[in-house]
Amino acid sequence: MKQLTLGILAHVDAGKTTLSEALLFTAGAIRKAGRVDKKDAFLDNYELERERGITIFSKQAVFSYEDLRITLLDTPGHVDFSTEMERTLQVLDAAVLLISAADGVQSHTRTLWKLLESYQVPVFLFVNKMDQPGADQEKILAGIQNQLSGNCVDFTPLVGAAATESKGAALEADMQEAMEAVAICDEELLNSFLTDGRISQEQLREKIAERKVFPCLFGSALRLQGIEALLSAIAAYAPEKTYPEAFGARVFKVTRDSQGSRLTHMKITGGTLKAKMELTCAEDKKEKVNQIRVYSGERFEAVNEAAAGSVCAVTGLLGTMAGQGLGMEKNLESPFLTPVLSYCLLLPEGTDPMAVMPKLKELEEEDPALSFTWEEELKEIHVHVMGEVQMEILKVLIRERFGLEIAFGKGRIVYKETIADTVEGVGHFEPLRHYAEVHLLLEPGEPGSGLQFEADCSEDILARNWQRLILTHLEEKQHRGVLTGSAITDMKITLVSGRAHQKHTEGGDFRKATYRAVRQGLMEAMSVLLEPYYEFRLEIPEEMTGRAMTDMEKLFADFTLAERAEGRCVLTGCAPVETMRDYQKEVYAYTRGQGSLTVRLKGYMPCHNADEVIEERHYDPEADLRNPAGSVFCSHGAGFVVPWNQVKEYMHVESCFAGDRKAIEESAFQEELEKRKEAARKREENRSASGGEYFLGTDEVDAILQQATGAGRGLEKKKEGWQRQSRSTETRQATTRVYQGQPKKEEYLLVDGYNVIFAWEELSALSKVTLDGARGRLLDILCDYQAMKGCRLIVVFDAYRLKGHPEEAYAYHNIYVVYTKEAETADRYIERFAHDNSKKYQITVATSDGLEQIIIRGEGCRLLSSRDLQADVERQKEQTRGILEEKKERQLTSVPRIDI
């Protein structure tokens, strides 16, 4: 028997539970169709659902029709429980989208339609409540085609005479008309229809599976009208899936039964699941399946195995979560629907929040969107919810499960953050006997794209196992932004480089380095605060249009006047959730109940009042000890912290931008130069006949250079201190955070005296005759060099072999000379000086000692080899000589000529 997983979706009060009951009754799965108003529905078995008359949790029922075994998944219709509904979509083979004839296509219906498109689920539409007065089938179908898809076709004539009142020739005409409507949905179908005069059932099934055709049927679930036709259409045209032999499963839900046992609900997408089978769930840990249950309503049947295509619940798995893939299946990305409101959870007096958090995490396992978090700064528990109805249900659940009477504090909007430019984030973690460095490229993503992670790093630089580990660490945590501490989104983060130590690197080292790299990049980037926006449709009496438009301006909405007919006006657009939260009540008030406002979540866009929100949150990213942006380096056997804005001066791996900067600047220079030449050519053509030649002046060349080199300047940002800017993203201004450059430090040059003497040929030869003469000659050369450079210069000589010699320092003309004390080498003195003063001064060390260069570089100082120092001395002499000769020539030319 073929397997089909069928979901039922609808906006609230469309009759979804009634339709489920009608399908089960018509198929013979239940003896009596229950009713919501009588609180005896087969699938609404939770007491709170029966009291309120709404579906809160998705339910499962199994029945057979013809040669098809159908697993029916009934989903919540209320907007507040949309996340529960979305989790079900990932396992559906097909869906029935229910539309009320009285209400037509609603805002939430369009949301469901887009979700079904995103998950690529084939759809059958059923228009319910056609028994109500005024229900016009043609008008309703036209509205569906206009608002959802033009490929929605009335399939009533195609599912048999039992589904229509037409007979004989009329039925044939209706079938021909339906075939023509189907044919124009797809080019292949049209060719078949024109060639053969018909479209086969197999072709229809294929195009429905490809979402090229959407069958539409009409009826009344309460009166069992059109139910047989719907079942016939599903049996005839539902897609047939084939599954691989390799085992795979998709987890879509986690619950607990009446005994408290943890249930993992999954669909088998390949192979066979058997009892006592071991599965890899969390962090490569294997867990054993204890029992396999096939639920139908409250009852279940324990089976020994579940074949591909079936939906079941298993016990024994503790590390599973919704959206997780088992076996060959991969984990799904983040859901499209997320809560936009955050509330503080108020516990009974005397209750320990730390004791309550593990219990609340059980609820989060069942509904991950709740996201219970402990705010350390506020000493509060916060939860994300979709709306007030969900909050009321949550209160009851916590009371029934844990015996706690909770309340909710004042709600606030769930903000998010993204970036507006591309930056490289660097994280280094190197306390003693640990080592890891990670380089990440952070790029802005498309709105609504979420977070995307990938690796673009050669295995010659970083082994594949370390790369996979870094990507795992990127995905495992919710990274916080630097404006308000909100979660980041709409970014692409690419691993571009890194380094591990053969002996000292451990897995946890890369976790620390990865987190710090993300944070360091965010601190350098131009951050943008995002807030959720509603897409709304406001229908009001025509005389109220002026008031509505004024309100829209106050609500910071982007809107248009979409319709105006029969004394009614319709405004459509989008506005911040923050401003629209209570507007529904105002609409009812000023229209005296004649207006209607429907909204649905559009997504996240730049915040309309970012400065106010940032000021209110008082978030200091540098004081967030749980999310450090600085890195840990090692020197002299001890780790030390380097602030985020100095990390790139200490990093061990070259920046990913280093190879691109020169090419970018040269390319930009050539491009700008060609533009200027072209402009010059045009000016030359427009000159008068007596005009002369045109040259690029020095000012213009400088402008070219400045503009060209600026092309690569954004690749190396070192910023400090807050500075607010505005940046346009779509139609909203985005508040960004930018850091200014550091103040220039006083320059010091430390010279390893004997190292330089023995490296310079002239001084080395002299030292063989007289070492004192070589020292004196070096000091004289460096005196001249200091006068030309203008830096503070210290020459250090070893005296460590002289017994009892104290440290000696004195001024020699315009430089300083130091003789080290007993048992201290010049290397050690320079290292000590660099360690103590590297943060106060810009220190350069001249030496050719390889070991000393490594140590000095670790202190963040600049290096100059002995030969480079010699070359710079000669260069400075030539420049000085040229300046003096030029000055002499000017003096000679300025002397007036005297004729005798």
Side-chain angles (χ1 to χ4, degrees):
M1 185 175 285
K2 296 183 293 184
Q3 298 265 13
L4 178 70
T5 304
L6 181 71
I8 298 185
L9 295 85
H11 63 84
V12 69
D13 293 334
K16 180 177 48 57
T17 301
T18 307
L19 177 61
S20 299
E21 298 290 317
L23 290 172
L24 293 172
F25 177 74
T26 304
I30 56 177
R31 295 181 179 180
K32 176 187 175 184
R35 292 184 53 161
V36 174
D37 55 348
K38 294 184 178 180
K39 302 180 181 181
D40 61 351
F42 179 74
L43 292 177
D44 282 350
N45 46 48
Y46 182 46
E47 187 61 33
L48 201 56
E49 292 177 316
R50 291 176 175 174
E51 288 181 7
R52 287 185 164 270
I54 60 173
T55 301
I56 299 173
F57 305 106
S58 58
K59 303 294 192 318
Q60 174 181 338
V62 180
F63 66 94
S64 298
Y65 185 81
E66 297 182 359
D67 63 340
L68 199 61
R69 177 181 167 87
I70 299 175
T71 300
L72 183 68
L73 297 179
D74 185 20
T75 65
H78 199 284
V79 177
D80 282 11
F81 306 103
S82 296
T83 54
E84 175 85 5
M85 172 272 302
E86 185 181 357
R87 284 191 291 273
T88 308
L89 298 184
Q90 56 192 292
V91 298
L92 297 183
D93 298 325
V96 175
L97 180 60
L98 191 63
I99 297 174
S100 171
D103 301 328
V105 176
Q106 297 291 295
S107 175
H108 190 55
T109 310
R110 288 189 287 271
T111 301
L112 295 173
W113 185 261
K114 290 186 177 181
L115 284 172
L116 290 166
E117 181 182 5
S118 300
Y119 286 94
Q120 287 297 294
V121 180
V123 180
F124 294 81
L125 293 98
F126 184 78
V127 180
N128 192 26
K129 303 182 181 180
M130 287 298 295
D131 57 327
Q132 293 187 358
D136 188 331
Q137 181 170 322
E138 293 185 3
K139 185 177 180 181
I140 293 170
L141 181 60
I144 292 173
Q145 292 172 337
N146 182 47
Q147 299 188 59
L148 298 183
S149 172
N151 290 0
C152 296
V153 179
D154 183 6
F155 259 55
T156 305
L158 301 180
V159 292
T164 177
E165 297 179 358
S166 302
K167 304 293 181 182
L171 178 59
E172 286 293 329
D174 289 345
M175 292 182 65
Q176 185 71 12
E177 184 179 350
M179 280 291 181
E180 292 176 1
V182 169
I184 63 175
C185 294
D186 182 77
E187 187 173 349
E188 290 183 14
L189 296 179
L190 182 60
N191 291 335
S192 297
F193 183 72
L194 294 176
T195 303
D196 305 329
R198 60 183 295 275
I199 300 173
S200 68
Q201 181 177 333
E202 186 59 36
Q203 284 180 302
L204 278 175
R205 183 185 293 114
E206 179 183 340
K207 294 305 175 183
I208 290 171
E210 294 176 1
R211 291 179 51 85
K212 298 290 182 64
V213 178
F214 304 101
C216 189
L217 296 112
F218 301 81
S220 170
L222 185 63
R223 302 184 183 279
L224 300 180
Q225 296 174 0
I227 305 302
E228 188 77 38
L230 177 60
L231 283 171
S232 298
I234 293 171
Y237 302 114
E240 296 181 8
K241 284 205 169 185
T242 57
Y243 298 96
E245 294 183 2
F247 173 75
R250 170 74 61 201
V251 178
F252 68 96
K253 186 179 178 182
V254 174
T255 62
R256 282 173 172 77
D257 63 11
S258 57
Q259 306 301 318
S261 299
R262 191 178 192 268
L263 300 176
T264 300
H265 298 257
M266 63 179 71
K267 179 182 179 181
I268 312 303
T269 58
T272 302
L273 176 67
K274 298 181 180 181
K276 307 305 178 183
M277 183 175 175
E278 284 192 342
L279 299 176
T280 302
C281 296
E283 298 181 357
D284 296 331
K285 293 181 180 179
K286 288 185 177 291
E287 296 180 341
K288 185 180 291 185
V289 174
N290 290 335
Q291 188 182 45
I292 303 175
R293 302 178 180 180
V294 177
Y295 273 87
S296 188
E298 290 183 293
R299 301 185 298 272
F300 70 86
E301 177 188 359
V303 297
N304 291 324
E305 61 180 39
S310 59
V311 177
C312 61
V314 304
T315 62
L317 304 182
L318 303 178
T320 51
M321 58 184 180
Q324 183 178 2
L326 301 176
M328 66 173 185
E329 290 286 349
K330 295 182 178 180
N331 295 342
L332 284 182
E333 297 180 357
S334 301
F336 292 94
L337 299 178
T338 55
V340 297
L341 301 175
S342 176
Y343 284 85
C344 169
L345 207 65
L346 303 179
L347 300 174
E349 188 174 351
T351 304
D352 182 10
M354 292 297 99
V356 175
M357 276 298 290
K359 299 177 180 178
L360 298 177
K361 286 296 181 180
E362 289 185 12
L363 294 178
E364 187 176 327
E365 286 181 356
E366 300 171 17
D367 186 356
L370 289 175
S371 184
F372 289 98
T373 56
W374 170 252
E375 297 289 342
E376 182 64 31
E377 300 85 355
L378 303 173
K379 306 296 182 185
E380 296 174 346
I381 296 176
H382 285 248
V383 59
H384 293 178
V385 296
M386 296 289 286
E388 294 181 1
V389 176
Q390 188 182 16
M391 290 166 59
E392 294 179 20
I393 301 301
L394 200 55
K395 287 181 183 179
V396 177
L397 280 176
I398 294 175
R399 182 176 67 244
E400 292 180 352
R401 287 270 195 97
F402 314 122
L404 292 173
E405 291 286 349
I406 66 158
F408 291 95
K410 184 179 179 182
R412 62 180 185 178
I413 297 297
V414 177
Y415 293 93
K416 293 187 179 182
E417 297 181 27
T418 188
I419 59 175
D421 59 347
T422 300
V423 296
E424 179 185 23
V426 179
H428 189 97
F429 187 72
E430 191 189 1
L432 187 62
R433 296 188 179 89
H434 293 268
Y435 188 94
E437 181 164 307
V438 175
H439 289 235
L440 302 173
L441 189 67
L442 279 63
E443 302 173 89
E446 292 295 323
S449 61
L451 291 178
Q452 300 176 359
F453 306 106
E454 68 176 42
D456 185 15
C457 178
S458 170
E459 292 182 22
D460 295 334
I461 297 175
L462 194 63
R464 181 180 297 180
N465 61 312
W466 294 128
Q467 294 189 32
R468 287 199 298 262
L469 184 62
I470 291 170
L471 292 177
T472 300
H473 292 326
L474 284 172
E475 295 173 358
E476 71 188 5
K477 179 183 178 181
Q478 185 182 75
H479 303 280
R480 302 180 70 177
V482 297
L483 295 180
T484 61
S486 304
I488 60 173
T489 187
D490 297 346
M491 290 170 53
K492 180 182 178 183
I493 302 180
T494 307
L495 170 63
V496 291
S497 188
R499 179 174 292 176
H501 192 280
Q502 188 173 3
K503 180 179 179 182
H504 293 152
T505 298
E506 299 177 0
D509 299 344
F510 273 108
R511 176 184 283 109
K512 297 285 188 181
T514 301
Y515 293 170
R516 293 168 187 267
V518 173
R519 195 71 171 172
Q520 196 272 338
L522 291 174
M523 293 292 283
E524 283 197 353
M526 299 172 61
S527 294
V528 180
L529 185 65
L530 306 176
E531 68 175 333
Y533 271 66
Y534 277 144
E535 191 173 68
F536 66 86
R537 184 178 189 275
L538 176 61
E539 184 175 348
I540 50 174
E542 190 172 9
E543 61 270 19
M544 304 290 182
T545 305
R547 162 68 189 270
M549 288 185 171
T550 302
D551 287 349
M552 291 300 104
E553 293 289 344
K554 294 179 181 178
L555 298 176
F556 298 92
D558 291 329
F559 65 96
T560 57
L561 183 59
E563 299 176 25
R564 175 179 286 180
E566 300 178 359
R568 306 283 290 179
C569 282
V570 176
L571 301 179
T572 59
C574 64
V577 172
E578 172 68 24
T579 61
M580 292 284 288
R581 286 172 66 181
D582 299 321
Y583 189 61
Q584 179 78 54
K585 299 176 183 177
E586 290 188 35
V587 172
Y588 285 146
Y590 74 74
T591 63
R592 296 179 178 83
Q594 300 181 43
S596 66
L597 174 68
T598 56
V599 299
R600 70 178 184 88
L601 187 63
K602 177 181 176 66
Y604 276 80
M605 297 169 61
C607 183
H608 77 284
N609 61 336
D611 289 336
E612 296 178 20
V613 175
I614 294 171
E615 186 67 28
E616 178 188 345
R617 294 295 176 95
H618 294 296
Y619 178 70
D620 183 0
E622 297 189 65
D624 189 348
L625 301 182
R626 295 190 175 189
N627 298 277
S631 288
V632 179
F633 289 81
C634 186
S635 178
H636 305 296
F640 64 99
V641 177
V642 174
W644 65 268
N645 52 357
Q646 298 177 22
V647 168
K648 292 184 178 178
E649 299 175 10
Y650 287 78
M651 63 186 183
H652 295 177
V653 181
E654 189 178 46
S655 168
C656 68
F657 292 138
D660 300 334
R661 185 176 294 109
K662 185 176 180 181
I664 291 173
E665 292 183 355
E666 289 181 355
S667 174
F669 176 79
Q670 292 298 330
E671 183 180 349
E672 184 64 21
L673 187 60
E674 290 300 324
K675 289 181 180 178
R676 301 292 178 117
K677 286 182 178 179
E678 179 64 19
R681 186 186 63 77
K682 290 182 178 180
R683 284 196 293 268
E684 178 66 22
E685 292 176 354
N686 295 332
R687 285 179 181 275
S688 61
S690 61
E693 296 181 355
Y694 178 79
F695 297 96
L696 290 176
T698 56
D699 293 340
E700 195 163 3
V701 173
D702 289 341
I704 297 173
L705 289 169
Q706 183 178 3
Q707 185 167 351
T709 56
R713 197 170 298 144
L715 302 175
E716 46 180 2
K717 298 176 183 169
K718 296 176 183 176
K719 311 162 188 172
E720 186 176 7
W722 301 126
Q723 177 183 337
R724 306 225 181 258
Q725 289 189 357
S726 294
R727 180 184 179 90
S728 176
T729 303
E730 292 186 354
T731 58
R732 295 290 175 187
Q733 286 191 340
T735 296
T736 60
R737 162 178 274 173
V738 185
Y739 292 83
Q740 299 174 347
Q742 302 180 52
K744 189 175 181 181
K745 299 177 181 178
E746 186 178 6
E747 294 185 3
Y748 270 73
L749 174 62
L750 272 67
V751 179
D752 188 339
Y754 287 131
N755 187 284
V756 172
I757 287 174
F758 296 129
W760 292 8
E761 292 182 2
E762 175 193 354
L763 298 180
S764 178
L766 182 59
S767 68
K768 295 176 182 178
V769 179
T770 169
L771 186 59
D772 288 341
R775 278 199 303 264
R777 177 59 179 155
L778 174 63
L779 295 178
D780 290 340
I781 293 173
L782 293 179
C783 283
D784 295 340
Y785 182 72
Q786 192 280 333
M788 293 181 284
K789 292 289 288 185
C791 62
R792 291 187 179 271
L793 196 152
I794 303 174
V795 188
V796 185
F797 292 102
D798 293 313
Y800 69 98
R801 292 183 179 178
L802 299 179
K803 187 176 182 179
H805 189 278
E807 184 174 293
E808 181 184 2
Y810 64 93
Y812 182 82
H813 300 302
N814 55 338
I815 65 175
Y816 297 92
V817 181
V818 174
Y819 286 89
T820 63
K821 62 185 178 181
E822 179 188 8
E824 184 180 45
T825 64
D827 298 349
R828 182 71 185 94
Y829 177 90
I830 292 173
E831 292 167 19
R832 177 162 54 87
F833 184 93
H835 179 73
D836 295 340
N837 299 283
S838 60
K839 294 184 178 180
K840 295 187 293 183
Y841 309 120
Q842 182 61 60
I843 300 174
T844 303
V845 177
T847 180
S848 291
D849 188 312
L851 180 60
E852 185 181 0
Q853 287 180 342
I854 295 174
I855 297 173
I856 292 301
R857 188 69 185 96
E859 295 293 346
C861 301
R862 296 176 179 175
L863 292 175
L864 194 66
S865 70
S866 297
R867 294 190 181 278
D868 289 339
L869 175 62
Q870 185 179 22
D872 196 39
V873 168
E874 294 300 323
R875 187 162 50 250
Q876 291 294 333
K877 284 183 179 179
E878 290 295 326
Q879 290 180 359
T880 304
R881 190 179 295 113
I883 293 172
L884 291 175
E885 290 178 355
E886 184 180 356
K887 184 177 180 180
K888 185 177 179 180
E889 290 178 2
R890 286 201 304 267
Q891 289 176 345
L892 291 174
T893 56
S894 64
V895 176
R897 183 177 177 181
I898 302 175
D899 295 326
I900 299 176

